[in-house]
Each structure stands twice: as structure tokens, then as C-alpha cells.
Amino acid sequence: KELIENSIDAKSKNIHIIIKNAGKTLVQIIDDGMGMNQNDAAICFQKHTTSKIKETIDIMHINTMGFRGEALSSIASIAEVELKTKTQDDSIGTLIIIDNSKIQKKTQIATPKGTSIAVKNLFFNIPARKNFLKSDKIEMKHILESFMQLAIANHQISFKLNNDGKIIYNIAATNLKQRIIQVFGKKYQQKILPIKEETSIVSLDGFLGNPLDARKTKGEQFLYVNKRFIKSGYLNHAIKNAMHNIIHPDQYPSYFIFLRIKPSDIDINIHPNKIEVKFEDEKAIYQILKSTCKKSIGM
Ligand code: ADP
Ligand code: MG
């Protein structure tokens, strides 16, 4: 997830993910984004190195997925990492091999513009942590969940996902509706209702699955704030509540909803995975979301 987010922050148009053994042997992300020059490539694995904050004031206006400079340094401490990267302006790229947080090799290499990061032999140096990894099936499920969350929000990017030599997804850049269909299938061709609203507190858009197709098993519930996937029982309730006449209490509606809120009106730092958000004006957002959903289903 962190590596894909870095590729998105680097303005990539194509992102290719290669997985082996549910990520335990290999997680590799190849992008065609802005890449790094030799100097940045050499320091990006150090703690708290980020290119996303240049001045203190930037912290109030974060529009990128990352900004703490923690992901690469954490990854480099628990795996063998191979980085290949090149910027548009440089004629030659950089190869860096790291294990145990130490640079083992640094050399020039011919490589296309963009970045490839291969994370190999996860937890090779911490066997106790390795034992805590779940079965391949469960770890792969987590990978796919993160992939879907990012692929839905970034439909203007084309993605390829390769698992143990098989292509699982190969999806072109498109609009949100088509991306939902690319990821979850033709069942969403007809059965999807657009939602849209703009207020001074929040603007929102996206799609609701047809409430008549709500299922007893959890379907697709994708809620985003400023393009960041979040989980919110409270806002989920607003959506369900909007449909209370048409769906059974133990059914789950599906939805793909994007909220846009001024970064200063939310706090994304309450949860280490940044998956829960605190809203300045939670109640108003609940009401706006509920009434917008109601309008969309014609109630
Ligand atoms: P953060 O994303 O919070 O800045 P990371 O540890 O994820 O921290 O990445 C550190 C830095 O490495 C980034 O700020 C960026 O400058 C650089 N970087 C990482 N991945 C890429 C990539 N795919 N393309 C270009 N630059 C990257
Ligand atoms: Mg990052």
C-alpha cells in the first residue's frame, strides 16, 4: 500500500505490481512517475526523509498520500530492497540494494524513467515477525483489498497486478464508473446510482450500488476523504439510514463515495494506518451524506 501510494504521489500513469508467495517472497512496484535523482535515491530509505514537506506551512495543506517519510525506512529494516530509479532529466538511473537498513550496493544503471522497488524475503532478519504473517490466502486478501482501495480512487492511473506469474488485473485508465466495473465486474453496469452534492462543509460524489441489490454479506463499501480510503461506522450508518425503508437491517449496501473536506477540518492522525478520520463537523457531514444518498435513490 505504501509503495503504491508513493507511485501515485510521484504522478505515475502506469503502476505495475508483482507479487510472489502472497508478498512473502516478493512485492515489487514498478512505476513511470517522476523518479529520483542519485542523491535522493541514496537517502530515501533513511528515517523521516520525505520530499513532500518543504516548509512548515505545508503540513496544513497535505495533498499527497505520504508525508512522514516512514514507509521506506520501515520497509528497508525488515526486508531486502532493490531500488531502480531515474528522473526525466537524468540520462542514467540509480540502482541501490539495501538489506538490514544498510546500502549494500549503489551504482548507475540504465533504467526507464520512473521507479521500481522490489521488496524481497520479508522479515528475513526477524524470524519471530515472519511467524506472525498469516496464511498466503489471508495475506493475499489484504494485498487485494489495498489494491482495490487504491485502484478505485485512482482511476486515471492504469494498473497491472501480477500474482505468482498470473495477471490478476490489467486495467486501463478510465472514469470512476468504468473503474468500478473493471475491478468488480459487469454487475455494476446498470445497477449503480450517481451521487453528487456540494456544500461549504463538504462536497461529495461517487456511486451507490442499487439498494435493491444489497446483500447479507458485506459488499463493496468504499468511502474516501480527500482520496484517502477511510473506515467510518458513523458515516456508514448515514448511508444505511438513507435506505432504511428499502434495505433490510442485516443487509449491506455497496457504495463508492468520495468526500472532499478542507484538510484543516479533519484530523487523519488519530489512527496509525490513517484509516480513521476525525471530522470537525461530524454531525453536519452525516446529515449531508444521508440526504444526498436519499436524493440519489429518489426518496
Ligand atoms: P513519504 O511518502 O511519507 O514522503 P516514504 O518513506 O514513503 O515517505 O518515501 C520517502 C521519499 O522517497 C518520498 O518522499 C519520495 O521523495 C521518495 N519516493 C519514494 N517512492 C517513490 C517513487 N515511487 N517515485 C519517486 N519518488 C519516490
Ligand atoms: Mg510514502
mmCIF file of all heavy atoms in Angstrom, residues 204-240:
data_model
loop_
_atom_site.group_PDB
_atom_site.id
_atom_site.type_symbol
_atom_site.label_atom_id
_atom_site.label_comp_id
_atom_site.label_asym_id
_atom_site.label_seq_id
_atom_site.Cartn_x
_atom_site.Cartn_y
_atom_site.Cartn_z
ATOM 1 N N LEU A 204 -19.285 16.051 -2.148
ATOM 2 C CA LEU A 204 -19.183 14.609 -2.292
ATOM 3 C C LEU A 204 -19.689 14.158 -3.634
ATOM 4 O O LEU A 204 -20.579 14.765 -4.225
ATOM 5 C CB LEU A 204 -19.895 13.888 -1.142
ATOM 6 C CG LEU A 204 -21.332 14.204 -0.815
ATOM 7 C CD1 LEU A 204 -22.251 13.106 -1.307
ATOM 8 C CD2 LEU A 204 -21.465 14.314 0.686
ATOM 9 N N ASP A 205 -19.076 13.100 -4.132
ATOM 10 C CA ASP A 205 -19.602 12.451 -5.329
ATOM 11 C C ASP A 205 -19.188 10.986 -5.338
ATOM 12 O O ASP A 205 -18.448 10.533 -4.460
ATOM 13 C CB ASP A 205 -19.170 13.177 -6.604
ATOM 14 C CG ASP A 205 -17.674 13.178 -6.791
ATOM 15 O OD1 ASP A 205 -16.955 12.662 -5.918
ATOM 16 O OD2 ASP A 205 -17.215 13.696 -7.819
ATOM 17 N N GLY A 206 -19.736 10.277 -6.292
ATOM 18 C CA GLY A 206 -19.462 8.847 -6.362
ATOM 19 C C GLY A 206 -20.702 8.095 -6.789
ATOM 20 O O GLY A 206 -21.556 8.647 -7.502
ATOM 21 N N PHE A 207 -20.785 6.838 -6.381
ATOM 22 C CA PHE A 207 -21.902 5.989 -6.780
ATOM 23 C C PHE A 207 -22.400 5.151 -5.613
ATOM 24 O O PHE A 207 -21.625 4.746 -4.748
ATOM 25 C CB PHE A 207 -21.459 5.036 -7.896
ATOM 26 C CG PHE A 207 -21.163 5.735 -9.191
ATOM 27 C CD1 PHE A 207 -19.866 6.094 -9.520
ATOM 28 C CD2 PHE A 207 -22.193 6.045 -10.075
ATOM 29 C CE1 PHE A 207 -19.580 6.749 -10.714
ATOM 30 C CE2 PHE A 207 -21.918 6.698 -11.268
ATOM 31 C CZ PHE A 207 -20.607 7.052 -11.594
ATOM 32 N N LEU A 208 -23.714 4.904 -5.668
ATOM 33 C CA LEU A 208 -24.296 3.938 -4.737
ATOM 34 C C LEU A 208 -24.657 2.695 -5.533
ATOM 35 O O LEU A 208 -25.182 2.799 -6.645
ATOM 36 C CB LEU A 208 -25.604 4.489 -4.160
ATOM 37 C CG LEU A 208 -25.544 5.649 -3.185
ATOM 38 C CD1 LEU A 208 -26.971 6.066 -2.822
ATOM 39 C CD2 LEU A 208 -24.767 5.245 -1.950
ATOM 40 N N GLY A 209 -24.406 1.534 -4.967
ATOM 41 C CA GLY A 209 -24.955 0.325 -5.566
ATOM 42 C C GLY A 209 -26.463 0.381 -5.408
ATOM 43 O O GLY A 209 -26.973 1.020 -4.494
ATOM 44 N N ASN A 210 -27.179 -0.243 -6.318
ATOM 45 C CA ASN A 210 -28.628 -0.246 -6.201
ATOM 46 C C ASN A 210 -29.044 -0.902 -4.888
ATOM 47 O O ASN A 210 -28.691 -2.034 -4.623
ATOM 48 C CB ASN A 210 -29.219 -1.020 -7.385
ATOM 49 C CG ASN A 210 -30.713 -0.854 -7.463
ATOM 50 O OD1 ASN A 210 -31.395 -0.747 -6.434
ATOM 51 N ND2 ASN A 210 -31.220 -0.809 -8.675
ATOM 52 N N PRO A 211 -29.803 -0.158 -4.045
ATOM 53 C CA PRO A 211 -30.173 -0.721 -2.736
ATOM 54 C C PRO A 211 -30.936 -2.039 -2.863
ATOM 55 O O PRO A 211 -30.880 -2.880 -1.961
ATOM 56 C CB PRO A 211 -31.041 0.364 -2.100
ATOM 57 C CG PRO A 211 -31.212 1.441 -3.091
ATOM 58 C CD PRO A 211 -30.266 1.222 -4.220
ATOM 59 N N LEU A 212 -31.631 -2.226 -4.000
ATOM 60 C CA LEU A 212 -32.378 -3.482 -4.162
ATOM 61 C C LEU A 212 -31.442 -4.677 -4.309
ATOM 62 O O LEU A 212 -31.860 -5.822 -4.182
ATOM 63 C CB LEU A 212 -33.315 -3.383 -5.379
ATOM 64 C CG LEU A 212 -34.354 -2.261 -5.262
ATOM 65 C CD1 LEU A 212 -35.156 -2.130 -6.547
ATOM 66 C CD2 LEU A 212 -35.275 -2.489 -4.067
ATOM 67 N N ASP A 213 -30.174 -4.412 -4.565
ATOM 68 C CA ASP A 213 -29.194 -5.495 -4.673
ATOM 69 C C ASP A 213 -28.374 -5.658 -3.408
ATOM 70 O O ASP A 213 -27.404 -6.408 -3.391
ATOM 71 C CB ASP A 213 -28.231 -5.233 -5.836
ATOM 72 C CG ASP A 213 -28.960 -5.289 -7.154
ATOM 73 O OD1 ASP A 213 -29.781 -6.193 -7.325
ATOM 74 O OD2 ASP A 213 -28.714 -4.407 -7.997
ATOM 75 N N ALA A 214 -28.741 -4.934 -2.355
ATOM 76 C CA ALA A 214 -27.970 -5.047 -1.110
ATOM 77 C C ALA A 214 -27.967 -6.505 -0.666
ATOM 78 O O ALA A 214 -28.930 -7.240 -0.877
ATOM 79 C CB ALA A 214 -28.593 -4.155 -0.039
ATOM 80 N N ARG A 215 -26.848 -6.899 -0.077
ATOM 81 C CA ARG A 215 -26.689 -8.313 0.259
ATOM 82 C C ARG A 215 -26.477 -8.498 1.751
ATOM 83 O O ARG A 215 -26.208 -7.547 2.475
ATOM 84 C CB ARG A 215 -25.484 -8.869 -0.500
ATOM 85 C CG ARG A 215 -25.736 -8.947 -1.985
ATOM 86 C CD ARG A 215 -24.525 -9.450 -2.695
ATOM 87 N NE ARG A 215 -23.407 -8.516 -2.580
ATOM 88 C CZ ARG A 215 -22.176 -8.802 -2.991
ATOM 89 N NH1 ARG A 215 -21.904 -9.984 -3.496
ATOM 90 N NH2 ARG A 215 -21.215 -7.919 -2.884
ATOM 91 N N LYS A 216 -26.608 -9.736 2.170
ATOM 92 C CA LYS A 216 -26.399 -10.021 3.585
ATOM 93 C C LYS A 216 -24.924 -10.132 3.927
ATOM 94 O O LYS A 216 -24.536 -10.018 5.080
ATOM 95 C CB LYS A 216 -27.128 -11.312 3.981
ATOM 96 C CG LYS A 216 -28.613 -11.062 4.125
ATOM 97 C CD LYS A 216 -29.294 -12.082 4.999
ATOM 98 C CE LYS A 216 -30.730 -11.655 5.197
ATOM 99 N NZ LYS A 216 -31.618 -12.730 5.565
ATOM 100 N N THR A 217 -24.129 -10.397 2.905
ATOM 101 C CA THR A 217 -22.687 -10.379 3.165
ATOM 102 C C THR A 217 -22.172 -8.997 2.794
ATOM 103 O O THR A 217 -22.713 -8.339 1.900
ATOM 104 C CB THR A 217 -21.954 -11.416 2.300
ATOM 105 O OG1 THR A 217 -22.346 -11.205 0.944
ATOM 106 C CG2 THR A 217 -22.295 -12.822 2.728
ATOM 107 N N LYS A 218 -21.138 -8.602 3.476
ATOM 108 C CA LYS A 218 -20.581 -7.268 3.222
ATOM 109 C C LYS A 218 -20.183 -7.149 1.769
ATOM 110 O O LYS A 218 -19.442 -7.975 1.258
ATOM 111 C CB LYS A 218 -19.370 -7.032 4.114
ATOM 112 C CG LYS A 218 -19.704 -6.114 5.247
ATOM 113 C CD LYS A 218 -18.472 -5.549 5.917
ATOM 114 C CE LYS A 218 -18.976 -4.528 6.932
ATOM 115 N NZ LYS A 218 -18.176 -4.390 8.083
ATOM 116 N N GLY A 219 -20.707 -6.146 1.109
ATOM 117 C CA GLY A 219 -20.371 -5.967 -0.298
ATOM 118 C C GLY A 219 -19.197 -5.018 -0.432
ATOM 119 O O GLY A 219 -18.242 -5.077 0.343
ATOM 120 N N GLU A 220 -19.300 -4.119 -1.370
ATOM 121 C CA GLU A 220 -18.212 -3.197 -1.623
ATOM 122 C C GLU A 220 -18.520 -1.866 -0.957
ATOM 123 O O GLU A 220 -19.435 -1.163 -1.372
ATOM 124 C CB GLU A 220 -18.034 -3.028 -3.126
ATOM 125 C CG GLU A 220 -17.288 -4.172 -3.799
ATOM 126 C CD GLU A 220 -18.148 -5.369 -4.155
ATOM 127 O OE1 GLU A 220 -19.190 -5.196 -4.790
ATOM 128 O OE2 GLU A 220 -17.763 -6.493 -3.789
ATOM 129 N N GLN A 221 -17.776 -1.565 0.079
ATOM 130 C CA GLN A 221 -18.013 -0.311 0.788
ATOM 131 C C GLN A 221 -16.749 0.534 0.791
ATOM 132 O O GLN A 221 -15.808 0.259 1.520
ATOM 133 C CB GLN A 221 -18.483 -0.608 2.208
ATOM 134 C CG GLN A 221 -19.918 -1.033 2.159
ATOM 135 C CD GLN A 221 -20.304 -2.052 3.178
ATOM 136 O OE1 GLN A 221 -19.471 -2.580 3.896
ATOM 137 N NE2 GLN A 221 -21.573 -2.328 3.234
ATOM 138 N N PHE A 222 -16.767 1.507 -0.092
ATOM 139 C CA PHE A 222 -15.568 2.309 -0.296
ATOM 140 C C PHE A 222 -15.895 3.764 -0.005
ATOM 141 O O PHE A 222 -16.638 4.395 -0.739
ATOM 142 C CB PHE A 222 -15.064 2.146 -1.726
ATOM 143 C CG PHE A 222 -14.492 0.783 -1.993
ATOM 144 C CD1 PHE A 222 -15.315 -0.302 -2.222
ATOM 145 C CD2 PHE A 222 -13.118 0.587 -1.993
ATOM 146 C CE1 PHE A 222 -14.779 -1.568 -2.446
ATOM 147 C CE2 PHE A 222 -12.573 -0.667 -2.215
ATOM 148 C CZ PHE A 222 -13.408 -1.752 -2.434
ATOM 149 N N LEU A 223 -15.328 4.248 1.076
ATOM 150 C CA LEU A 223 -15.543 5.635 1.463
ATOM 151 C C LEU A 223 -14.180 6.313 1.543
ATOM 152 O O LEU A 223 -13.234 5.745 2.105
ATOM 153 C CB LEU A 223 -16.255 5.668 2.826
ATOM 154 C CG LEU A 223 -16.620 7.046 3.375
ATOM 155 C CD1 LEU A 223 -17.626 7.751 2.469
ATOM 156 C CD2 LEU A 223 -17.218 6.899 4.789
ATOM 157 N N TYR A 224 -14.101 7.499 0.967
ATOM 158 C CA TYR A 224 -12.821 8.207 0.913
ATOM 159 C C TYR A 224 -12.984 9.631 1.415
ATOM 160 O O TYR A 224 -14.022 10.251 1.186
ATOM 161 C CB TYR A 224 -12.304 8.278 -0.522
ATOM 162 C CG TYR A 224 -12.026 6.938 -1.153
ATOM 163 C CD1 TYR A 224 -13.057 6.196 -1.729
ATOM 164 C CD2 TYR A 224 -10.730 6.423 -1.194
ATOM 165 C CE1 TYR A 224 -12.808 4.962 -2.323
ATOM 166 C CE2 TYR A 224 -10.472 5.192 -1.789
ATOM 167 C CZ TYR A 224 -11.513 4.474 -2.342
ATOM 168 O OH TYR A 224 -11.263 3.254 -2.931
ATOM 169 N N VAL A 225 -11.963 10.128 2.056
ATOM 170 C CA VAL A 225 -11.896 11.551 2.357
ATOM 171 C C VAL A 225 -10.645 12.085 1.679
ATOM 172 O O VAL A 225 -9.539 11.602 1.932
ATOM 173 C CB VAL A 225 -11.822 11.813 3.872
ATOM 174 C CG1 VAL A 225 -11.587 13.287 4.142
ATOM 175 C CG2 VAL A 225 -13.099 11.353 4.545
ATOM 176 N N ASN A 226 -10.819 13.053 0.825
ATOM 177 C CA ASN A 226 -9.706 13.617 0.052
ATOM 178 C C ASN A 226 -8.858 12.509 -0.584
ATOM 179 O O ASN A 226 -7.632 12.511 -0.493
ATOM 180 C CB ASN A 226 -8.860 14.543 0.938
ATOM 181 C CG ASN A 226 -9.696 15.676 1.508
ATOM 182 O OD1 ASN A 226 -10.821 15.911 1.059
ATOM 183 N ND2 ASN A 226 -9.167 16.370 2.488
ATOM 184 N N LYS A 227 -9.550 11.548 -1.179
ATOM 185 C CA LYS A 227 -8.953 10.424 -1.922
ATOM 186 C C LYS A 227 -8.269 9.388 -1.042
ATOM 187 O O LYS A 227 -7.627 8.463 -1.535
ATOM 188 C CB LYS A 227 -7.985 10.916 -3.008
ATOM 189 C CG LYS A 227 -8.742 11.460 -4.216
ATOM 190 C CD LYS A 227 -7.819 11.687 -5.359
ATOM 191 C CE LYS A 227 -8.113 10.760 -6.526
ATOM 192 N NZ LYS A 227 -7.171 10.973 -7.631
ATOM 193 N N ARG A 228 -8.367 9.553 0.261
ATOM 194 C CA ARG A 228 -7.801 8.577 1.179
ATOM 195 C C ARG A 228 -8.905 7.631 1.617
ATOM 196 O O ARG A 228 -9.948 8.074 2.093
ATOM 197 C CB ARG A 228 -7.353 9.311 2.432
ATOM 198 C CG ARG A 228 -5.948 9.129 2.833
ATOM 199 C CD ARG A 228 -5.724 10.036 4.034
ATOM 200 N NE ARG A 228 -4.802 11.110 3.711
ATOM 201 C CZ ARG A 228 -3.484 10.936 3.669
ATOM 202 N NH1 ARG A 228 -2.948 9.786 3.944
ATOM 203 N NH2 ARG A 228 -2.708 11.943 3.346
ATOM 204 N N PHE A 229 -8.705 6.337 1.494
ATOM 205 C CA PHE A 229 -9.698 5.367 1.946
ATOM 206 C C PHE A 229 -9.841 5.453 3.457
ATOM 207 O O PHE A 229 -8.846 5.484 4.179
ATOM 208 C CB PHE A 229 -9.258 3.953 1.557
ATOM 209 C CG PHE A 229 -10.237 2.897 1.991
ATOM 210 C CD1 PHE A 229 -11.332 2.577 1.202
ATOM 211 C CD2 PHE A 229 -10.059 2.225 3.194
ATOM 212 C CE1 PHE A 229 -12.242 1.609 1.608
ATOM 213 C CE2 PHE A 229 -10.965 1.247 3.602
ATOM 214 C CZ PHE A 229 -12.050 0.943 2.812
ATOM 215 N N ILE A 230 -11.080 5.530 3.922
ATOM 216 C CA ILE A 230 -11.288 5.538 5.378
ATOM 217 C C ILE A 230 -12.369 4.539 5.771
ATOM 218 O O ILE A 230 -13.157 4.087 4.940
ATOM 219 C CB ILE A 230 -11.705 6.927 5.923
ATOM 220 C CG1 ILE A 230 -13.059 7.360 5.345
ATOM 221 C CG2 ILE A 230 -10.643 7.973 5.617
ATOM 222 C CD1 ILE A 230 -13.824 8.264 6.299
ATOM 223 N N LYS A 231 -12.382 4.184 7.036
ATOM 224 C CA LYS A 231 -13.487 3.412 7.588
ATOM 225 C C LYS A 231 -14.188 4.291 8.604
ATOM 226 O O LYS A 231 -13.535 4.925 9.436
ATOM 227 C CB LYS A 231 -12.956 2.150 8.257
ATOM 228 C CG LYS A 231 -12.524 1.134 7.227
ATOM 229 C CD LYS A 231 -12.488 -0.269 7.794
ATOM 230 C CE LYS A 231 -12.334 -1.227 6.626
ATOM 231 N NZ LYS A 231 -11.354 -2.268 6.914
ATOM 232 N N SER A 232 -15.500 4.345 8.490
ATOM 233 C CA SER A 232 -16.266 5.128 9.453
ATOM 234 C C SER A 232 -17.603 4.453 9.693
ATOM 235 O O SER A 232 -18.485 4.461 8.826
ATOM 236 C CB SER A 232 -16.475 6.551 8.927
ATOM 237 O OG SER A 232 -17.500 7.185 9.669
ATOM 238 N N GLY A 233 -17.755 3.842 10.845
ATOM 239 C CA GLY A 233 -19.028 3.232 11.219
ATOM 240 C C GLY A 233 -20.135 4.287 11.218
ATOM 241 O O GLY A 233 -21.261 4.035 10.793
ATOM 242 N N TYR A 234 -19.763 5.476 11.661
ATOM 243 C CA TYR A 234 -20.731 6.569 11.780
ATOM 244 C C TYR A 234 -21.272 6.973 10.411
ATOM 245 O O TYR A 234 -22.486 7.074 10.211
ATOM 246 C CB TYR A 234 -20.032 7.738 12.479
ATOM 247 C CG TYR A 234 -20.901 8.923 12.784
ATOM 248 C CD1 TYR A 234 -21.928 8.842 13.707
ATOM 249 C CD2 TYR A 234 -20.655 10.145 12.160
ATOM 250 C CE1 TYR A 234 -22.716 9.951 14.002
ATOM 251 C CE2 TYR A 234 -21.429 11.254 12.456
ATOM 252 C CZ TYR A 234 -22.459 11.160 13.376
ATOM 253 O OH TYR A 234 -23.221 12.263 13.661
ATOM 254 N N LEU A 235 -20.399 7.182 9.451
ATOM 255 C CA LEU A 235 -20.864 7.600 8.121
ATOM 256 C C LEU A 235 -21.492 6.437 7.361
ATOM 257 O O LEU A 235 -22.418 6.623 6.568
ATOM 258 C CB LEU A 235 -19.719 8.232 7.322
ATOM 259 C CG LEU A 235 -19.191 9.545 7.899
ATOM 260 C CD1 LEU A 235 -18.148 10.151 6.979
ATOM 261 C CD2 LEU A 235 -20.328 10.545 8.160
ATOM 262 N N ASN A 236 -21.019 5.223 7.613
ATOM 263 C CA ASN A 236 -21.660 4.043 7.039
ATOM 264 C C ASN A 236 -23.129 4.010 7.478
ATOM 265 O O ASN A 236 -24.035 3.701 6.691
ATOM 266 C CB ASN A 236 -20.935 2.780 7.518
ATOM 267 C CG ASN A 236 -21.576 1.515 6.982
ATOM 268 O OD1 ASN A 236 -21.645 1.318 5.780
ATOM 269 N ND2 ASN A 236 -22.083 0.684 7.879
ATOM 270 N N HIS A 237 -23.342 4.367 8.720
ATOM 271 C CA HIS A 237 -24.697 4.408 9.270
ATOM 272 C C HIS A 237 -25.546 5.439 8.532
ATOM 273 O O HIS A 237 -26.738 5.206 8.284
ATOM 274 C CB HIS A 237 -24.629 4.707 10.766
ATOM 275 C CG HIS A 237 -25.949 4.583 11.456
ATOM 276 N ND1 HIS A 237 -26.806 5.644 11.587
ATOM 277 C CD2 HIS A 237 -26.562 3.520 12.019
ATOM 278 C CE1 HIS A 237 -27.901 5.239 12.218
ATOM 279 N NE2 HIS A 237 -27.780 3.949 12.496
ATOM 280 N N ALA A 238 -24.944 6.564 8.169
ATOM 281 C CA ALA A 238 -25.690 7.601 7.439
ATOM 282 C C ALA A 238 -26.200 7.063 6.104
ATOM 283 O O ALA A 238 -27.339 7.324 5.699
ATOM 284 C CB ALA A 238 -24.797 8.819 7.208
ATOM 285 N N ILE A 239 -25.354 6.290 5.437
ATOM 286 C CA ILE A 239 -25.715 5.757 4.122
ATOM 287 C C ILE A 239 -26.818 4.706 4.287
ATOM 288 O O ILE A 239 -27.822 4.693 3.576
ATOM 289 C CB ILE A 239 -24.475 5.153 3.434
ATOM 290 C CG1 ILE A 239 -23.389 6.231 3.276
ATOM 291 C CG2 ILE A 239 -24.848 4.557 2.082
ATOM 292 C CD1 ILE A 239 -21.998 5.690 2.992
ATOM 293 N N LYS A 240 -26.626 3.842 5.255
ATOM 294 C CA LYS A 240 -27.623 2.795 5.525
ATOM 295 C C LYS A 240 -28.959 3.404 5.941
ATOM 296 O O LYS A 240 -30.027 2.970 5.505
ATOM 297 C CB LYS A 240 -27.100 1.891 6.644
ATOM 298 C CG LYS A 240 -26.966 0.443 6.189
ATOM 299 C CD LYS A 240 -26.577 -0.467 7.300
ATOM 300 C CE LYS A 240 -27.520 -1.647 7.276
ATOM 301 N NZ LYS A 240 -27.043 -2.725 8.152
#
